[in-house]
Amino acid sequence: MSLVHDLGLGINQKALKINLDPKIYGTFAEIGAGQDVAAAFFKAGGASGTIAKSMSAYDMKFSDAIYGPVADGRYVCEERVISMLDHEYNLLIERLDEQRGESTQFFSFANTVVTLNYHKNNQPHGWMGCRFQLTPNGEFHDVTLHVRMLDNDTLLQQQALGIIGVNLIYGCFYYHQKPEILLESLRDNLTKGRIQIDAIKFEGPAFEKVDGRLMSLRLVKNGFCDLALFGPDGKILQPSDVLYKKHILVLRGRFRPVINVHLDMLENGVKQFIQEPDVDESKMIVVSELTLNALQEGQDDSIDDKDFLDRVDILCSLGQTVMITNYVEYYKLVAYLSKITKLKIGLIIGFPNLEYIFNEENYKDLPGEILESFATLFSRKLKLFVYPTLRNNIIMNCMKFNPPAHLNDLYRFLIANNKIEDIYHYNKSNLNIQTDNMLELIQRGEEGWEEHVPAEVVTFIKDRCLFGFPCVVIPKK
């Protein structure tokens, strides 16, 4: 098995190499966008050496009869692709294991997809997965992923699905020992901007050491998508599945480490958000956001995997759903979230972030500059909740903010229309605390930082020597 990513292999070559491998044999089940993955193997030649069956249960009643009903009624979902893999793989083993199980690595490929509709006003996307054996009679492994198709033509989207499906099957058999290479290989023979992958999961004995959180980071870092999500248990989540029709409240931060200010911002931000008349608490999700910009360190903008995981471990221990994004500008984040939900979105920000939002220099790359960004940010059901800052013994909040004179009327308009609001019930003792100051104290091993950090976070840092903590307390002089 190859451990080197061969960028020179085309789709026909990949499909033919699999077809000519006598050990690899399996089934294809594709719903919603033709059968372009199986078609690639048929066209490559020698398909009888690989394909036991190819099918498409396109009608919903047929699909339900074969794979069982879908709980939430959405057929393009992870639940459906997993049920397809379960059914097809079990059937394959049941019918062929006795005959050729000793010499065959069985696999089942499945996808469920919705492509661009006639009016071109939907969100084309799909789930696909491959269940496969690494040795004859061996345990199975799964690689499943969620894709978004970006081509503005249905045939091009189907073609792209065929390409990424072949890449997935090839990667499972030839790059499984290096999941990072497997991931990179998924966009072989695809130009940038045709497909996004915003969730990928590796399951099975060979993938026990694969950390889903790092894979989420790599999705964003390597340009597969602009946003990835995982839950408090560290498991990868598909954003549109989790955030669909939800009120979303986001706190962005570096979280290096989480300090009392962050928890105070969250607690009071949540209290005010659920008091909004158009917010249903039962449909709300709270998310802690880490941007690539906040994770990058040093002159080369590299990201330290351990440092990233340290921050995530702490956030997850506090029960947080964590989001990684490549959105420096808030309006880009809101534009993305607004495609998933039409319900109200809240952003918890510090006073310096309010100043950043009104800084026109940040929008020079937009034809409409700051007004264009505001049209995206504030035209949605969005509200900013602003946590105050202490400067020169003055508490700076929304009422103390003075935008440039020519933006003053716009700012007052946003205040009057309930788009921006102060967080009122905050702990004043937190206003003197800054994350960077706490980090310096932690790294020097000095006493005193513990009182500004949640007790469970203090334990994490000391027990695991996180963020450069020397594990030896140096007394104050």
Side-chain angles (χ1 to χ4, degrees), residues 322-353:
V322 180
M323 183 164 62
I324 309 164
T325 77
N326 197 24
Y327 299 129
V328 176
E329 308 300 344
Y330 282 108
Y331 76 89
K332 294 180 180 178
L333 172 64
V334 171
Y336 177 91
L337 296 178
S338 297
K339 293 178 182 178
I340 300 174
T341 184
K342 301 303 179 186
L343 301 182
K344 194 161 198 169
I345 299 168
L347 300 180
I348 302 172
I349 65 173
F351 181 81
N353 297 110

Side-chain angles (χ1 to χ4, degrees), residues 264-428:
D264 199 40
M265 292 174 76
L266 270 175
E267 181 181 350
N268 290 294
V270 168
K271 285 180 181 178
Q272 288 183 218
F273 189 60
I274 61 178
Q275 289 173 1
E276 294 291 305
D278 52 350
V279 171
D280 180 350
E281 185 178 358
S282 67
K283 297 179 180 179
M284 184 180 75
I285 183 168
V286 180
V287 179
S288 295
E289 180 199 7
L290 281 162
T291 66
L292 285 188
N293 188 58
L295 291 168
Q296 290 167 340
E297 300 287 342
Q299 295 181 346
D300 60 351
D301 289 336
S302 60
I303 297 176
D304 184 323
D305 286 351
K306 182 182 182 304
D307 177 73
F308 164 72
L309 291 175
D310 290 345
R311 303 190 215 189
V312 169
D313 280 342
I314 289 175
L315 287 168
C316 290
S317 74
L318 296 172
Q320 290 297 300
T321 297
V322 180
M323 183 164 62
I324 309 164
T325 77
N326 197 24
Y327 299 129
V328 176
E329 308 300 344
Y330 282 108
Y331 76 89
K332 294 180 180 178
L333 172 64
V334 171
Y336 177 91
L337 296 178
S338 297
K339 293 178 182 178
I340 300 174
T341 184
K342 301 303 179 186
L343 301 182
K344 194 161 198 169
I345 299 168
L347 300 180
I348 302 172
I349 65 173
F351 181 81
N353 297 110
L354 180 63
E355 295 175 312
Y356 180 90
I357 288 171
F358 274 83
N359 185 344
E360 293 176 278
E361 291 297 317
N362 298 319
Y363 311 106
K364 291 298 183 183
D365 60 329
L366 295 177
E369 298 188 343
I370 193 170
L371 290 181
E372 183 175 338
S373 74
F374 276 27
T376 301
L377 180 62
F378 291 109
S379 63
R380 273 68 173 181
K381 289 184 178 180
L382 172 109
K383 187 166 184 178
L384 304 181
F385 297 89
V386 183
Y387 195 86
T389 293
L390 188 66
R391 288 181 184 167
N392 300 319
N393 293 320
I394 298 174
I395 296 176
M396 304 300 294
N397 56 22
C398 291
M399 295 299 105
K400 296 284 179 63
F401 177 56
N402 290 311
H406 61 285
L407 296 177
N408 191 60
D409 287 342
L410 176 58
Y411 178 65
R412 299 304 167 194
F413 171 84
L414 294 171
I415 291 286
N417 283 273
N418 201 34
K419 293 289 188 179
I420 304 175
E421 179 178 286
D422 278 317
I423 289 179
Y424 300 111
H425 303 291
Y426 56 89
N427 186 338
K428 292 183 179 180

Side-chain angles (χ1 to χ4, degrees), residues 243-257:
L243 305 177
Y244 182 65
K245 291 186 177 180
K246 290 288 197 305
H247 298 286
I248 307 168
L249 185 62
V250 180
L251 172 64
R252 173 181 291 183
R254 295 180 70 235
F255 305 115
R256 198 170 184 251

